[in-house]
Amino acid sequence: LAKITVSDGTTPNSSTTATGVELNTLLAINVTTSSINYGTLVPGTNTGSTNQVATTTNAGNSSTTLNLSGTALVKGSATIATSSQHYATSTFTFGGAEQVLSGTATAVSGFLLTSPTSTTAVAKSTFWGITVPTGSATGTYSGMNTFTAVFSP
């Protein structure tokens, strides 16, 4: 609702109250990073303190938190477990306090995209690392990570 009071300095104030308009909530995110490329790693090693970055922007009109899930990385019949990928909301060295990717949607600790208040995008990054188990076949693996917006009042 809006109330407008107008005064020109000589005539009495006039006042108008508008009728209410319902604003629907749009919960939407845009992951502007199309892929997470860990580069070349030797089996039995991890990315250490070299993180890959995935940027998420708020494409809606409400605040949102983030859930993440993923699949195993696959190359033919060879796989690297989903849990081999780790993430956090700030840079990290692999094997610390970062979160482990799961096949089940899990809330990202410390992640909040506030409601946009202008045309400037509200964005936040997640940082990613991986370990490649000893004995893994060499080659290019692929999988899918799912970013899901969760309403935050």
Side-chain angles (χ1 to χ4, degrees), residues 79-101:
T79 63
I80 296 175
T82 305
S83 60
S84 293
Q85 293 186 78
H86 294 192
Y87 59 89
T89 56
S90 60
T91 59
F92 64 92
T93 299
F94 196 91
E98 71 273 10
Q99 289 183 259
V100 175
L101 188 64

